[in-house]
Amino acid sequence: MKTKNCLFLILFSLVFQVSFAQQNWKDITTVKDLYQSYPETVKGIFDHLDLDLKGLEKVKAASAKGDWERAANELLAYYKTSQNALGLRKALPKVTANNITGTDTILNDVFTIQNVKGKVPLLENGHRDWYYKGPNNDKEWAWLSNRHTQLSNVMGAYFETGNPKYAEYMDLFLRDFILASMPYPAEKKGESIWRGLEVAARVKVWSRVFYGMLESDYISPATRLLILSSLPDHAHYNRNFHGGNNWLTMEISSLATVVAYFPEYKASTEWMDYAVETMTESMRGQIYPDGVQTELSSHYHNVSMVSFELFKTLCDEAGRELPEYFNQTIEDMYGYIAKAIRPDGHRILNNDGDRGSDRAIILSAAEKYNHPEWAYLASNGSKGEKPMEGPSYLLPWAGQLISRSGYDSMAHWSFFDIGPWGSGHQHNDKLHLSVSAFGKDFLVDAGRYAYTGEVAEKFRPYALSSKGHNLVLIDGKVQKDGPRLVEKPVDSNTVEITEEYDFASSSFGEFIGLEGQANHNRSLFYVRGEFWVVVDKISTDQARSISTLWHWHPDAEVKQFGNSVVGSYAEGSLEVMPVGNTSFDIEMIKGQEKPEIQGWYSPEYNLYEPNIASIYTSDIAEGSTFVWLLIPSAGNGDRLVTRAKIVAETNSGLKLEVNFKGDTWDLTVPFEKSEDLRFEKR
């Protein structure tokens, strides 16, 4: 009976201890607390450390005796005096009661993720629900909330105000997450907590918190130890389960982050060897010789570029030399975004991207890499030196023609896509044209909307398809997927850039569900500082219905004048004028949801609004050519009187006469070869 009672008491004690640890995790703040509640977690830290390293002698001695609490205390003392991550360490601010209103919402567990605000609920055990998908039931919301960018904002508020509540929130937040994320699954996952991008992002945030708050008593010893216990798991995940393309750059740079800032881990040398080899090989595979990342999205180009540059910084920190190719490619990637920048400082909105500003990062890179011509491009000529080439640029591997009238803030700018489909985050939009002028966007890409959740269910097919772009639909059919990658640049015979004009031409002939055969060839002729000519040649084996789509920025005031459509701002206007005798049925669609989505625009993830799509439709019995004049006019005055006529059409091109602002241009716009181009101003 006595034995049974003893067994009962032992079992009761064990259950009570487990229950206590689970229910009172918020009270686990000291080394002793953590060891009593999670002894294997504490001991596991030392399995990952190279205790023979200089400075860890006391840690090793305590570990050898099995005095894990003392070993843990000695380890924390070591990090305070180590020479690791000196650039991340910060002096503590003076204590105040000041607040930052925007950050205070985070303290209430209200997170704004990709423009969507949601309050993370608490579970019965007091932990936050780290699987919460936000108010739109969006997996992306859960993923991004698990990257812990919230902590960066809160830490910034702490150092700005000195208010302890921000530091205390960080402490509890980290302890909450790390305990809730245990055990580490050690396998590739796709759920909210253990996915590669989130793992990679957390390492970078945690490193800044660990060293930035190293002198603060508000980050408890238990939380610091939990970070040290979890970082090897994060490194293992990024080492063994990383993806490719921009994912790889983020995940492998995370692996290097652990090595650079926590070199005490036994596997550091192997991790860095793998990281250098893998990152260099990936760079060769995902960056074209013209410096453009192969996904051909300006947004993900920047993601990869920043990760490559971070990796170089981490290698410098760890004393690892990278091949010169690596360093030069980073410069080439910055060179691309400098060449592509809009006059207002924003980047191309193409494929899965956002219309963000690149001005600040280009100006910083111009100084860092000694490229004053980048500063000139990014500052509208107020800084740096005027480029020897330009103002227009061809990226021959990416297949992108960037046309400009000049470098000033009111300059004309256009982006013409004649490249491959892309290696990821693609839209079916070859031959799309975006146009800006006078500091304003006129003809736009539809954007990306969202990847998952309610917004994506509604708008994602539109974002991906040709119907959200300035393209031609044949019998209402959209483009199929194109080639993901190319092994050579665009044919130099199809592009020409001179002081007076830019020209480029390309074709696409694969359409989803189209009966028979048809091909769309588009030629773009930009007369510098004056106007654009777009020539769409349709080859077909049968009668077709051809619809040409022009999507306008939502802020433009769009009106129809006969067959022309004009978008206007106070600063200027753009007229889309069809040339020739073609009869069109013209629709002006805005914010349509039925019978299909049309007339919508998304400048950033999860942001969207109605815009006007001008759709010109014409029936053809055989192959036909459509000509469009895009006429920019400065100021808020009357439309410029413009006359244009098709003089002749041959197998190789089309002759056009344009009367504009008192001048006459005689142009031969080739369908393919630039050698057939003719330009004369009378």
Side-chain angles (χ1 to χ4, degrees), residues 13-25:
S13 176
L14 289 173
V15 170
F16 177 81
Q17 288 180 33
V18 172
S19 176
F20 181 86
Q22 291 175 338
Q23 293 177 2
N24 298 279
W25 62 268

Side-chain angles (χ1 to χ4, degrees), residues 541-583:
D541 60 356
Q542 57 188 272
R544 303 286 187 188
S545 174
I546 306 299
S547 296
T548 305
L549 284 60
W550 303 106
H551 294 84
W552 298 88
H553 191 277
D555 292 343
E557 182 182 1
V558 182
K559 295 182 179 179
Q560 183 177 343
F561 299 90
N563 270 1
S564 289
V565 177
V566 179
S568 300
Y569 299 89
E571 294 81 359
S573 64
L574 181 77
E575 178 175 355
V576 174
M577 174 193 292
V579 180
N581 299 318
T582 303
S583 177

Side-chain angles (χ1 to χ4, degrees), residues 239-273:
R239 162 63 177 83
N240 293 283
F241 309 121
H242 61 77
N245 285 331
N246 73 80
W247 280 48
L248 183 145
T249 62
M250 289 186 279
E251 292 168 310
I252 297 301
S253 65
S254 168
L255 183 62
T257 299
V258 177
V259 175
Y261 297 141
F262 300 91
E264 296 79 17
Y265 292 123
K266 290 178 183 176
S268 288
T269 299
E270 188 274 328
W271 286 341
M272 186 57 92
D273 289 344

Side-chain angles (χ1 to χ4, degrees), residues 182-478:
M182 293 166 31
Y184 167 53
E187 62 182 37
K188 190 174 182 65
K189 306 283 281 186
E191 40 82 358
S192 302
I193 293 177
W194 291 105
R195 193 184 72 143
L197 294 185
E198 286 63 58
V199 170
R202 287 197 297 267
V203 167
K204 297 164 189 176
V205 173
W206 291 4
S207 298
R208 292 193 293 272
V209 172
F210 186 90
Y211 286 106
M213 300 293 293
L214 201 55
E215 298 300 321
S216 172
D217 292 334
Y218 294 116
I219 304 299
S220 68
T223 297
R224 298 185 198 279
L225 288 173
L226 285 170
I227 292 173
L228 294 172
S229 74
S230 189
L231 282 174
D233 295 337
H234 282 61
H236 179 271
Y237 194 101
N238 285 144
R239 162 63 177 83
N240 293 283
F241 309 121
H242 61 77
N245 285 331
N246 73 80
W247 280 48
L248 183 145
T249 62
M250 289 186 279
E251 292 168 310
I252 297 301
S253 65
S254 168
L255 183 62
T257 299
V258 177
V259 175
Y261 297 141
F262 300 91
E264 296 79 17
Y265 292 123
K266 290 178 183 176
S268 288
T269 299
E270 188 274 328
W271 286 341
M272 186 57 92
D273 289 344
Y274 181 82
V276 170
E277 179 183 354
T278 304
M279 197 72 126
T280 304
E281 181 182 354
S282 176
M283 176 182 271
R284 293 186 186 279
Q286 68 170 294
I287 308 301
Y288 283 126
D290 54 16
V292 186
Q293 201 256 0
T294 59
E295 290 176 87
L296 303 179
S297 158
S298 62
H299 173 79
Y300 288 103
H301 173 95
N302 284 11
V303 168
S304 292
M305 177 182 71
V306 169
S307 294
F308 282 133
E309 189 172 39
L310 172 62
F311 184 74
K312 172 177 167 45
T313 301
L314 294 167
C315 285
D316 292 343
E317 181 93 9
R320 289 295 296 262
E321 187 173 344
L322 289 167
E324 181 54 33
Y325 163 81
F326 197 98
N327 303 324
Q328 183 59 52
T329 300
I330 294 173
E331 286 194 45
D332 293 343
M333 295 181 78
Y334 274 109
Y336 162 61
I337 64 171
K339 293 173 183 176
I341 192 172
R342 301 176 196 246
D344 68 356
H346 288 77
R347 67 181 72 101
I348 302 169
L349 176 60
N350 67 322
N351 287 336
D352 277 343
D354 293 336
R355 188 191 177 276
S357 177
D358 279 348
R359 177 166 284 156
I361 60 175
I362 293 172
L363 289 173
S364 176
E367 182 175 355
K368 180 176 182 179
Y369 295 102
N370 191 28
H371 280 278
E373 73 278 11
W374 298 351
Y376 196 93
L377 281 158
S379 68
N380 304 120
S382 65
K383 298 179 181 179
E385 298 176 7
K386 187 175 182 179
M388 298 295 292
E389 55 180 2
S392 295
Y393 296 94
L394 171 71
L395 288 308
W397 288 82
Q400 298 178 359
L401 174 64
I402 309 297
S403 293
R404 285 191 194 81
S405 58
Y407 303 100
D408 60 282
S409 62
M410 301 293 278
H412 301 165
W413 177 94
S414 66
F415 159 69
F416 184 36
D417 180 2
I418 56 173
W421 188 46
S423 62
H425 288 280
Q426 314 95 329
H427 293 184
N428 292 11
D429 62 349
K430 184 169 183 178
L431 308 180
H432 166 85
L433 175 68
S434 292
V435 175
S436 299
F438 319 118
K440 298 293 183 180
D441 288 343
F442 286 95
L443 300 177
V444 297
D445 185 298
R448 62 172 172 161
Y449 299 88
Y451 298 156
T452 64
E454 295 176 5
V455 174
E457 290 174 6
K458 184 174 182 178
F459 289 107
R460 187 66 175 160
Y462 174 69
L464 296 173
S465 84
S466 308
K467 293 182 180 181
H469 300 83
N470 300 322
L471 291 171
V472 165
L473 308 181
I474 299 180
D475 289 342
K477 307 302 183 183
V478 299

Side-chain angles (χ1 to χ4, degrees), residues 641-663:
V641 177
T642 307
R643 297 183 179 86
K645 64 178 181 180
I646 300 171
V647 177
E649 182 176 346
T650 66
N651 290 333
S652 61
L654 179 144
K655 294 183 179 180
L656 190 69
E657 180 184 288
V658 179
N659 298 287
F660 181 59
K661 295 192 295 190
D663 295 314

